[in-house]
Amino acid sequence: MRRARSWRFPDHLAMVLMLGVTGQVGQVVLLRELLMVFHGNELSLGVILAAWMLWVGVGSRLGAVAVQRWPDPYRLLRIDATLVALALPATVVAIRALPGVIDAPPGALPSLADMALGSLALLAPVTMLLGAQFVLLARAWRERDASIDASGAAKTYVGEALGNVAGGLAFTLLLVHHLDAVQTSVAIGAAMLAVALARRQRGAALAVVVVALVGVPLASHLDAWSERLQWRLQAPRYELLETHRSRYGTIAVLRHHDQIAFFQSGHLVFSTGGVDDRAVAFEEQDAVTLAHLVLTQHRDPRRVLLVGGGLRGTLREVLRHGVERVDYVELDPALLTAAAPYLPAGTAAALADPRVRVHHTDGRLFVKAGGDAYDLILVDVPDPVTAVVNRFYTEEFFAEASARLLPGGVLALSAVSTPDLRGAGIANRNATLYHTLRRVFTEVLAIGERTLALLAAHDPDQLSHDAAVLMRRYLERDVSSPGFDAGHLALLLEPGPLERINWVLRHHGRSADAHLQPPPASPLVPGDLARQRAQEGELASVSERFFVNTDARPIGYYHTLVFWDALSRADAAPALRWIARVEPWWALPPAALLLAAAVALRALPRTRVRAAPRYAVLVAVFTTGLSTMTMQVALLFAFQSIYGFVYEMVGLIVAIFMAGLALGATITRLLVPDQADRRVLAVVQLAVALMALGVAVALPWAGGLASPTAVFVAFALFTFVSGVLNGADFPLATSCYLALDRRPERSAAIVYAVELMGACGGAALASAVIAPVLGIVACCMLAAFANATAFTVLGVGGLRPARIDAPAT
């Protein structure tokens, strides 16, 4: 009689999947936490991802060493999982304490060095443990299958990717809505530990589950305490009143005396002076001035579109001009909920006014979607200190807004400034906004010194700098505002400062090195604006690379970072200024060195057989990691510029990439009979290069799509195909390297680590250097060039297939 088979827990596959789930959820949680500490600055995105990839690569190499010394991989996995479960919540708390370590003045943005050192130090424990776990699981799977090839590593790679997909979906659809950061890290760490223990110690695994069920609700107290610690260190003069979580980020409400400040994802959104509005508070003065200056620029404003700014007083002042309708766009409904108890009575009444329609959607998408036309479009958002805000200052957005204006309509926006635009940083940024507007609009008028209002129209007679005209309109409408009167208009339009500011904006940015120089000093008598306008055609062309802000090249965002860093630091942003000197041809010397090394190795008899092809395989692995991560960052930047929801969608976007990666690796395992054939690996390098070129061509087309759904589908497709090719590369490269090295775990660890080193370099280059200055399309071109170089190096190193011998012990 046949003995019935006992039920067996699918322990190994569960551990592989759990590695992917934990890695993905942990990455998104820690990424979001670091973004809040770094004020939402997207330059940090590549820095964080680079640190993550670097330490995972180091961890995988350490895992290979450990599994050679201690042959029981499952024991090492249990130890590793225990440390991950402890390290994840500890890292969340440590990140929130990071503002106490960063040496920056209150309100200043962290420097690139702060971001790099902070990310490297805090992410090291978790990421090295996850990297080591990959190699341990690959060894365990090889022993389970009793195989001598790299199939264990390939299966682990696919399983981890599937776990990444599950983790991304779970976070986006479930965890982010029901658990805070500490609760999520406790829950996911406990799940990993329970799965690791379930193979041999099911009682201990059950105990971990019970402890987690009790501990996850209690972890909310640690989360709340660490949030208070973060804001006490980040804004020591403020008291944290409350926090609100939404799909778009965490909203923190802080108080300093009578001032209430609202931060979202670590970035200041607006502040108010308290509920008493008998007098306009200092925090609202800029909004009041901007509203009345803009409204008087139109002869008879009836329909107004207000993007942002409604909670800081702009909406209230717009309504004083007797408009018939205001469409007010504010992305996050949670922000209105959080602000409601602290708003002045006039602002609260304005939100309830029947003439106001509140739209909870992205302002960029609202404008792009088409529909009603307006007499005035007022964009009242913060300075473009992040890429997500910069998208309201680009040529594409200005063109979309222009299409929504009625004849005689006016587009208005504002930005921080200085008298006479002193300082290269602020002059570069504000001249960029001016020249970008001039690409779309016939007339552009700049008014103001501390705050610069930029007004744009197509009708040459629409904009006026005549104080008498604007004062008459203000008085005829019988406007009464406690913080503004007609006399303010005369002060704003004083001829001397007005003429100097417009002269500098017209003349700056018209030489190849203008971005590296202070703005030109205006003449003692620069001439009236009509004369300046007539003479503008005689000036040299504007340097488009550094003075035209577009979705594909967000240079306005870069100039803003330089300005704020120079304003708050004694070192005047040397790292950021160095980035501006980067040229596309700088990619040629590294490629030449790689090719020269390949030729030298192939020419020497001692290195021709194994060292030359081994080197070529590692170059292919490195460049594929670099290329796919460079494209991924480029796609995130482009998606951010057009769609605006990266903070909310990052888990889903990475899940799509990982789904493609799993499919690519699976297809390779099933359809390629000889995975050690370097000719197939070379074909993949060529395919990656061609795909990168295709994405470079398709990105501008995708940006022009009107439908948000179509935009998302296009970017999801780009991301998925990139993942497929990256996934196809890993099992091929591992098999090719194993055929030359004959040590399975070592080969898997080296290939995995080198791929992650390439991804580390790609993330840092794309996010902090290439995308802001050379542009998003340049990221794709770099990816194509890198893999074309790898294809050539493989050809030089030799493409003859190698046989996999029995593994060395």
Side-chain angles (χ1 to χ4, degrees), residues 446 465 494-506 522 524-529 532:
H465 57 274
E494 187 178 346
L498 183 69
E499 292 167 0
R500 287 195 298 271
I501 288 169
N502 281 272
W503 190 93
V504 172
L505 290 174
R506 291 181 195 277
S522 67
L524 205 58
V525 183
D528 61 37
L529 298 187
Q532 291 184 29

Side-chain angles (χ1 to χ4, degrees), residues 674-687:
D674 184 3
Q675 294 173 34
D677 189 342
R678 290 191 294 276
R679 292 173 297 186
V680 182
L681 183 63
V683 170
V684 172
Q685 308 313 303
L686 188 60

Side-chain angles (χ1 to χ4, degrees), residues 263-335:
F263 290 79
Q264 187 164 37
S265 300
H267 185 64
L268 178 63
V269 180
F270 74 99
S271 58
T272 72
V275 296
D276 186 0
D277 61 355
R278 288 173 293 181
V280 172
F282 172 78
E283 292 80 7
E284 296 184 337
Q285 190 60 58
D286 283 343
V288 171
T289 301
L290 177 66
H292 294 300
L293 176 62
V294 171
L295 268 291
T296 53
Q297 284 293 333
H298 198 281
R299 299 176 182 87
D300 185 26
R302 294 296 174 186
R303 300 174 68 88
V304 178
L305 171 60
L306 175 62
V307 179
L311 301 178
R312 74 179 190 125
T314 309
L315 176 62
R316 180 190 64 221
E317 301 303 313
V318 167
L319 293 173
R320 298 185 193 276
H321 285 257
V323 298
E324 293 177 353
R325 175 178 161 186
V326 179
D327 283 317
Y328 168 42
V329 181
E330 188 65 68
L331 173 64
D332 196 346
L335 185 61

Side-chain angles (χ1 to χ4, degrees), residues 381-387 389-391 393 414-415 429 433 549 556-561 564:
V381 298
D383 272 22
V385 74
T386 64
V389 182
N390 183 73
R391 52 203 287 275
Y393 294 88
S414 67
R429 199 280 304 281
L433 301 185
N549 193 33
Y557 154 52
Y558 165 78
H559 287 322
T560 305
L561 290 177
W564 282 109

Side-chain angles (χ1 to χ4, degrees), residues 617 668 672-685 728-729 731-737 739 794 798-804:
V617 169
T668 298
V672 178
D674 184 3
Q675 294 173 34
D677 189 342
R678 290 191 294 276
R679 292 173 297 186
V680 182
L681 183 63
V683 170
V684 172
Q685 308 313 303
D729 185 81
L732 293 172
T734 305
S735 295
C736 290
Y737 197 87
L794 277 168
L799 296 177
R800 182 176 58 84
R803 181 175 57 86
I804 300 178

